[in-house]
Amino acid sequence: MQTFLEFEKPIQNIIEQIEKLKEVAALGAVDVQPTLRDLEKKLADTRTEIYANLSPWERVQVSRHPDRPYTLKYIEAITDGTFVEVHGDRTVKDDKAMVGGFGLVKGRTVMFVGQQKGINTKMRQYRNFGMANPEGYRKALRLMKLAEKFNKPVVTIIDTPGAFPGLEAEERGQGEAIARNLFEMMRLRVPVICVVIGEGASGGALGIGIGDKVLMLENTWYSVISPESCSSILWRSWDYKAQAAQALKLTAKDMLANKLIDGIIPEPVGGAHADVEGACRNVKAEVVKWLEKLAKTDPDKLVERRIKKFCEMGVVEKAKPTPKAKS
Amino acid sequence: MGWFTRTKEGITTSTEEKKETPEGLWYKCPECDEIVTSEDHENNLWVCPKCEHHEKIGSDEYFALLFDDQRYTELGADLVAGDPLGFVDTKPYKERLAKSRQGSGLNDALRAAEGKLDKRTVVISCMDFRFIGGSMGSVVGEKIAIAADQAMKRKCPLVIISKSGGARMMEAGFSLMQMAKTSAKLTQLAAKRLPYISVLTDPTTGGVTASFAMLGDLNIAEPKALIGFAGPRVVKETIGTDLPKGFQTSEFVLEHGFLDLIVHRKDLKAKLSQFITFFQS
């Protein structure tokens, strides 16, 4: 059963018409081929049109679409099924919202880490909705340090509504865990590629988001706060999420224009959920490309450039000096 | 019959002769309701003499408290926020900035300065909560970068006094990346083996906690400060029950292993000096 978002209703209508037509065709009485061709063309056109004009808030909705592929799906695709998940932060427990492990990309070992959302109600709870606890960030760091030790590149896959804001998360130092990751990823002496595949919410996303190439899929968002929370804080109401999404400039296009990310990975027409294989292919191609390009870079250079890149982010101005009064 | 007899009829003082009590002569502690004169409160470094509640103070006060002879050179003082996103919520960000600058007399939520602490050169950055809740935007990130660069130039320790509600929403992606930027500068400081002491004061939350505030070679805090990643209200909503007493206080964070020490404001300079001695002797 496919899920359709509010603005996808025209797409849903056509798909339903096609299905009905196919039922009629199964009876064998009428030739439906011409009509079917027309409808399929109409479907493609409608998808293209709707997806060419998505508002920021609609993109946020697409980024959370329940049929979208999640982290493990991409990792499986990138590694052609050679991925082996490993567990635990060696201190507290194994965080199911953060996954990680080795895989082979074109015969070379790569370390993968990423937030994992659940694919159904039961799994969503098991994965804590992709909201990692401190042990998740510490597991990610352990694996990245392991990769560094054996000189293997790191790929992080980002998809989280935020770091988990629970009581135990505070007790175990959520802030420290994220801060430590920023610090250590910044000086990791192997290539790091980060891909936002869904939601990139705030510190929880950035906690595995320091890389030489930070890429976003076309219909994802990345910002300091979710549009809903931003609306509730600045407008003191939940009703301004569309305005907040607009104001936050959180889409891939805006983030690239502001030089806060390094590139955009296109999604198939109709979003990653309309063509999962296609989305995986696109992500794989980009990741392979950057792994190859970065493989030869000297580690000192890599770290130096990474630090420089993040240090250049931000916009400040000089205050106009107050004109001296003439005496 | 009454016990007392009025000798005069009603209030006879004329309006002109009325004696007004000037505003701000007294300070009432929000924790224990103790009332002291503002002068005594200030002389006690804005700490309640009864319950030791540390009132929020700003960069002016901390610089005066820590730098020898209250002398220091400010770094990047003229930096102000741009408005790269043209952010508008219920009012434009530009307006908020102008109002905050006017109201506080500050250019942004952090000031950095170089000076001497017990005759040794240090760079101290200090946040100001009065400026949009001490929120971290591009200026805060840039000034921490400048402070770190200056510490590297002088080969001296860096102290950052945090006091912040977190990232500045009106700079969205830019403010998020200040967490990365400040952490990046601290890796450079670490590579040069220069000490960084983080001082956490009330409140230190959000993106500031999740970046430079928790990255000190030593993390020290003032007593009973609110320190956390998620705000208490958010945590309460998440768990659906009341929060335990003392949750997210300095004492709580120390017990859970994320602070080295809690220091009373009156001892702050002496303790910083002592630690700098440990690093340099």
Side-chain angles (χ1 to χ4, degrees):
Chain A
M1 182 62 193
Q2 279 176 284
T3 317
F4 293 95
L5 301 167
E6 192 57 39
F7 58 86
E8 288 184 314
K9 283 283 181 274
I11 297 173
Q12 183 179 10
N13 286 341
I14 301 170
I15 288 177
E16 279 168 6
Q17 280 178 38
I18 291 175
E19 272 163 13
K20 261 190 206 142
L21 206 61
K22 279 181 179 163
E23 278 169 32
V24 173
L27 299 173
V30 249
D31 179 19
V32 295
Q33 283 311 318
T35 335
L36 199 60
R37 265 198 301 276
D38 283 353
L39 278 174
E40 263 158 9
K41 186 176 180 305
K42 198 173 155 198
L43 176 64
D45 291 348
T46 313
R47 269 201 172 126
T48 309
E49 201 195 312
I50 289 176
Y51 271 79
N53 300 303
L54 289 184
S55 71
W57 172 240
E58 284 167 341
R59 269 188 219 281
V60 171
Q61 289 171 278
V62 177
S63 78
R64 298 168 177 164
H65 198 291
D67 298 336
R68 251 181 111 79
Y70 293 143
T71 296
L72 284 171
K73 184 88 190 167
Y74 286 107
I75 297 178
E76 290 292 336
I78 298 168
T79 59
D80 297 313
T82 61
F83 175 69
V84 178
E85 191 183 345
V86 294
H87 298 271
D89 73 336
R90 298 291 188 270
T91 308
V92 177
K93 57 156 56 154
D94 183 49
D95 191 334
K96 309 300 181 197
M98 186 76 80
V99 296
F102 293 109
L104 291 174
V105 180
K106 294 208 159 182
R108 289 207 177 141
T109 308
V110 176
M111 176 61 79
F112 290 86
V113 298
Q115 293 102 350
Q116 175 68 27
K117 290 182 176 175
I119 47 170
N120 53 40
T121 310
K122 200 178 159 192
M123 289 304 282
R124 275 190 270 278
Q125 274 189 340
Y126 177 75
R127 297 292 185 187
N128 199 27
F129 305 89
M131 294 185 284
N133 273 284
E135 47 274 22
Y137 292 99
R138 290 181 184 128
K139 166 160 91 175
L141 182 58
R142 176 176 82 84
L143 296 181
M144 290 188 279
K145 296 295 277 183
L146 180 63
E148 183 186 42
K149 180 176 173 184
F150 293 100
N151 198 26
K152 309 297 176 203
V154 174
V155 173
T156 76
I157 310 281
I158 298 166
D159 189 9
T160 181
F164 189 59
L167 184 118
E168 284 154 351
E170 292 294 318
E171 289 180 337
R172 294 197 286 266
Q174 188 71 285
E176 194 275 346
I178 292 171
R180 188 65 50 203
N181 279 20
L182 305 184
F183 187 87
E184 294 297 343
M185 287 184 85
M186 201 60 83
R187 59 180 190 179
L188 211 61
R189 294 174 61 80
V190 290
V192 184
I193 298 166
C194 311
V195 188
V196 181
I197 59 150
E199 298 189 87
S202 199
L206 192 66
I208 55 164
I210 307 294
D212 304 299
K213 289 293 157 199
V214 179
L215 311 167
M216 283 174 77
L217 267 173
E218 195 182 340
N219 297 313
T220 61
W221 68 273
Y222 194 5
S223 195
V224 75
I225 191 166
S226 73
E228 289 92 332
S229 304
C230 181
S231 162
S232 94
I233 294 171
L234 290 182
W235 279 268
R236 301 185 188 282
S237 145
W238 293 96
D239 303 334
Y240 294 85
K241 41 191 191 267
Q243 282 96 318
Q246 180 86 38
L248 286 167
K249 303 277 194 296
L250 42 60
T251 64
K253 223 175 168 178
D254 285 328
M255 287 293 281
L256 183 65
N258 286 323
K259 295 187 184 142
L260 298 172
I261 59 161
D262 303 298
I264 300 173
I265 305 177
E267 287 184 26
V269 174
H273 57 285
D275 177 6
V276 173
E277 304 298 314
C280 288
R281 256 197 318 276
N282 292 359
V283 170
K284 181 177 179 175
E286 275 297 295
V287 168
V288 168
K289 181 179 95 185
W290 287 112
L291 281 174
E292 280 172 358
K293 280 196 179 176
L294 293 169
K296 290 178 200 80
T297 317
D298 171 64
D300 288 331
K301 271 263 151 53
L302 211 55
V303 173
E304 193 188 310
R305 276 186 208 157
R306 196 184 301 147
I307 289 175
K308 187 165 175 279
K309 181 179 84 176
F310 282 98
C311 283
E312 279 168 1
M313 293 178 185
V315 175
V316 298
E317 292 169 3
K318 294 231 169 189
K320 289 180 194 86
T322 28
K324 272 185 188 159
K326 278 177 190 165
S327 51
Chain B
M1 209 177 93
W3 286 12
F4 303 103
T5 339
R6 269 187 201 276
T7 53
K8 285 181 194 164
E9 280 290 312
I11 299 166
T12 54
T13 319
S14 66
T15 313
E16 296 85 63
E17 283 172 34
K18 259 192 358 196
K19 283 175 193 145
E20 286 285 348
T21 314
E23 287 288 319
L25 263 188
W26 298 92
Y27 170 82
K28 183 175 173 185
C29 175
E31 289 297 314
C32 72
D33 290 348
E34 175 81 352
I35 294 173
V36 290
T37 66
S38 294
E39 201 186 336
D40 287 347
H41 191 233
E42 184 179 338
N43 290 338
N44 204 32
L45 304 172
W46 300 273
V47 174
C48 171
K50 191 174 161 201
C51 74
E52 310 222 310
H53 169 70
H54 283 52
E55 188 54 78
K56 289 186 188 67
I57 55 175
S59 54
D60 260 337
E61 289 82 8
Y62 278 109
F63 286 166
L65 182 69
L66 297 176
F67 285 119
D68 296 351
D69 308 320
Q70 311 196 359
R71 282 174 52 186
Y72 53 88
T73 318
E74 212 177 319
L75 308 164
D78 59 345
L79 295 183
V80 293
D83 180 18
L85 305 176
F87 196 95
V88 180
D89 50 274
T90 50
K91 61 176 140 170
Y93 178 40
K94 276 234 182 275
E95 248 173 59
R96 279 181 198 273
L97 283 170
K99 211 177 143 202
S100 233
R101 273 203 291 269
Q102 216 169 19
S104 65
L106 297 161
N107 271 343
D108 210 286
L110 179 131
R111 284 165 74 217
E114 178 192 339
K116 303 270 185 191
L117 191 151
D118 279 351
K119 302 192 185 73
R120 283 169 303 199
T121 303
V122 287
V123 173
I124 303 179
S125 293
C126 181
M127 303 192 79
D128 280 291
F129 195 76
R130 282 185 301 153
F131 197 96
I132 317 186
S135 54
M136 169 160 66
S138 300
V139 175
V140 170
E142 181 62 19
K143 281 199 187 175
I144 285 179
I146 291 172
D149 283 335
Q150 189 70 8
M152 285 188 268
K153 193 171 152 195
R154 297 274 186 254
K155 297 189 173 57
C156 75
L158 173 69
V159 175
I160 304 179
I161 302 169
S162 298
K163 185 184 286 293
S164 170
R168 189 173 298 167
M169 255 177 287
M170 297 75 117
E171 291 188 32
F174 285 100
S175 88
L176 178 64
M177 293 307 162
Q178 301 314 305
M179 293 170 64
K181 178 172 175 168
T182 52
S183 306
K185 289 315 283 190
L186 293 176
T187 64
Q188 291 182 324
L189 205 68
K192 296 237 166 17
R193 308 219 176 271
L194 294 168
Y196 160 46
I197 303 175
S198 171
V199 180
L200 297 89
T201 70
D202 185 56
T204 299
T205 58
V208 169
T209 302
S211 60
F212 60 85
M214 275 293 165
L215 289 173
D217 293 308
L218 294 169
N219 296 336
I220 65 182
E222 288 188 343
K224 292 179 196 157
L226 169 71
I227 299 169
F229 173 64
R233 238 179 312 158
V234 178
V235 178
K236 197 180 157 185
E237 270 170 38
T238 308
I239 62 170
T241 57
D242 282 340
L243 298 170
K245 203 165 175 284
F247 180 66
Q248 292 185 319
T249 56
S250 309
E251 293 72 16
F252 170 96
V253 181
L254 179 87
E255 272 315 303
H256 284 94
F258 296 98
L259 291 177
D260 290 282
L261 196 68
I262 295 172
V263 179
H264 191 289
R265 195 173 282 159
K266 69 174 158 41
D267 303 324
L268 185 59
K269 181 170 181 175
K271 274 286 175 299
L272 285 174
S273 176
Q274 220 177 339
F275 282 132
I276 292 170
T277 307
F278 287 137
F279 283 120
Q280 294 180 342
S281 299

